[in-house]
Amino acid sequence: MAATHHSPPVASAEHAQSQHRRARGGQGASGAQRRPRGPRGLRGITQRPWWPWLTRGLAAAFFAVVATLIVRQARTVDWPAVWQALLALPASVLAVAGALAVASHCTYGTFDLIGRHCTGHPLSRARTLRIAMTSYPFTLNLGSLIGGVGVRYRLYDRQGVNPGTIVQVVGTSILTNWVGYLLLAGVLAWVWQPPPVAGWGVQPWQWRLGGTLLGCLPVVYIALCAVRGGRALTLRGHAFPLPRWRVALWQVGVSATNWMLMGAALWTVLQGQASYPAALATVLLGAVAGLVLRVPAGLGVLESVGVALLTTQALGQEKVLAALLAYRALYYFGPLVLAAMAFGVAELRWRQQTGADGVPQQSSAKKTA
């Protein structure tokens, strides 16, 4: 009975404490409502309503400045002289440069063979190579969103490859393309020094330091692949698949070969009047400039970079532009025509093999029967 007599006060005391805690929690919640706190630091800034407008405005301003510089430079060019220099290019030089361009496109096609190796999709090597080589000219001339993703996704999807595998193949191709680029950028910094542009130059030690940092990134990537042994790398809940170190070496080697072939094609149409490192630097810097500015095929951007880096007293501006236009025709526009024809043929064959609704004709015939 004594225990029964003392239990209500204990319960009431606990009830009062719980009410007090709830009251304090409610006050804290109301206080938090009165003083909302957003994320701090860079993440908080990027979530501000004005941040997208700021980034778009800066990008538009940068694009306008570069476009203005290109237009001003174009007005100073003696275009009839450029046309005459273009017509004066020997046919043998154009043939060798064209062969190098074909070799580069074939080399790029092997990037998707790496993706095939990593994902294990059932398409043959020949068909995988055709898909990659068909999509690459679209990527060069129309941007990565149309060529690297749109055309390639459509061609793989037509062959029954699932979307997840397509994404992995495209991602592997993009990674392969840039690991070789970074390695060459590191090597180039030690064998070539850029000339001053518009009165602005970079110190040799600064140029080499920046190149060394870029060149170390592929080495770090290969080392990371060796340490992980094919296991995916998880960062903040996201898994990033990594190949084994032999495949990583394959990626770096084939990518560097592709970029070197591109530089060799440009060096060939320059007929040896500029050094090979200067031609390679034009290709590398022009690719990044075109990517940043998002100009289709880098029109005007590659030419501006080439004129700034290659023009000398012995090699005039008109000859440089003629060589760049010939390189663009051989590496960009010519393959685009062939790729468009191949894409059209692939679409026509697919439509002939399927009905109007995209279902194979054999399946629709069985359904009708």
Side-chain angles (χ1 to χ4, degrees):
M1 295 296 293
T4 304
H5 177 72
H6 287 89
S7 56
V10 174
S12 60
E14 293 177 352
H15 180 68
Q17 292 178 0
S18 63
Q19 285 184 339
H20 181 65
R21 285 194 298 267
R22 284 197 298 268
R24 293 183 60 185
Q27 291 176 359
S30 62
Q33 292 176 359
R34 288 194 302 267
R35 296 185 301 273
R37 284 187 174 183
R40 297 179 179 179
L42 181 60
R43 183 179 178 185
I45 294 176
T46 57
Q47 292 181 358
R48 299 287 185 179
W50 47 264
W51 178 256
W53 295 98
L54 176 62
T55 55
R56 292 171 187 170
L58 292 175
F62 183 68
F63 178 82
V65 170
V66 174
T68 302
L69 294 176
I70 292 175
V71 171
R72 287 183 178 179
Q73 186 182 52
R75 289 179 177 178
T76 63
V77 175
D78 186 0
W79 290 107
V82 173
W83 179 249
Q84 292 298 324
L86 185 61
L87 294 177
L89 288 174
S92 58
V93 169
L94 297 177
V96 173
L100 290 170
V102 172
S104 173
H105 279 257
C106 293
T107 304
Y108 183 91
T110 62
F111 291 6
D112 278 28
L113 295 181
I114 300 176
R116 177 181 179 271
H117 173 82
C118 294
T119 61
H121 67 71
L123 299 187
S124 65
R125 292 184 178 90
R127 184 164 296 180
T128 302
L129 187 64
R130 287 199 300 268
I131 291 176
M133 293 184 64
T134 301
S135 63
Y136 182 45
F138 287 98
T139 304
L140 288 172
N141 292 274
L142 303 178
S144 58
L145 185 61
I146 295 177
V149 178
V151 173
R152 189 175 297 179
Y153 182 91
R154 189 173 184 86
L155 292 174
Y156 274 115
D157 182 66
R158 291 287 192 256
Q159 300 298 325
V161 181
N162 65 76
T165 301
I166 299 174
V167 171
Q168 292 184 35
V169 171
V170 173
T172 301
S173 177
I174 294 174
L175 177 62
T176 302
N177 183 62
W178 291 108
V179 290
Y181 179 101
L182 295 173
L183 179 65
L184 286 180
V187 175
L188 189 64
W190 288 89
V191 299
W192 178 79
Q193 177 70 25
V197 178
W200 178 86
V202 60
Q203 296 296 324
W205 70 268
Q206 296 173 337
W207 177 252
R208 292 176 180 176
L209 177 60
T212 302
L213 293 177
L214 292 178
C216 286
L217 294 179
V219 179
V220 172
Y221 171 68
I222 296 173
L224 183 61
C225 292
V227 171
R228 299 296 298 178
R231 301 189 307 273
L233 180 66
T234 304
L235 296 175
R236 295 186 176 183
H238 299 281
F240 299 92
L242 292 175
R244 296 186 180 275
W245 67 270
R246 291 184 179 86
V247 178
L249 278 177
W250 180 13
Q251 289 179 284
V252 175
V254 73
S255 175
T257 301
N258 178 52
W259 287 105
M260 291 173 67
L261 287 171
M262 295 171 66
L266 178 57
W267 180 72
T268 300
V269 292
L270 287 168
Q271 303 182 70
Q273 300 181 66
S275 66
Y276 174 75
L280 180 60
T282 300
V283 171
L284 296 180
L285 295 177
V288 171
L291 181 65
V292 172
L293 295 176
R294 299 184 181 276
V295 178
L299 285 173
V301 179
L302 176 63
E303 287 75 8
S304 298
V305 173
V307 168
L309 298 182
L310 300 174
T311 301
T312 60
Q313 293 181 353
L315 184 61
Q317 182 179 5
E318 291 75 18
K319 292 184 178 180
V320 172
L321 279 174
L324 289 168
L325 291 176
Y327 169 76
R328 180 177 292 281
L330 293 170
Y331 198 87
Y332 286 76
F333 296 154
L336 178 62
V337 174
L338 298 177
M341 295 172 59
F343 183 75
V345 170
E347 284 290 305
L348 182 61
R349 288 180 177 177
W350 184 83
R351 292 183 182 277
Q352 289 177 349
Q353 295 173 0
T354 59
D357 55 353
V359 179
Q361 291 182 355
Q362 295 180 356
S363 300
S364 59
K366 290 181 180 180
K367 186 182 295 184
T368 304

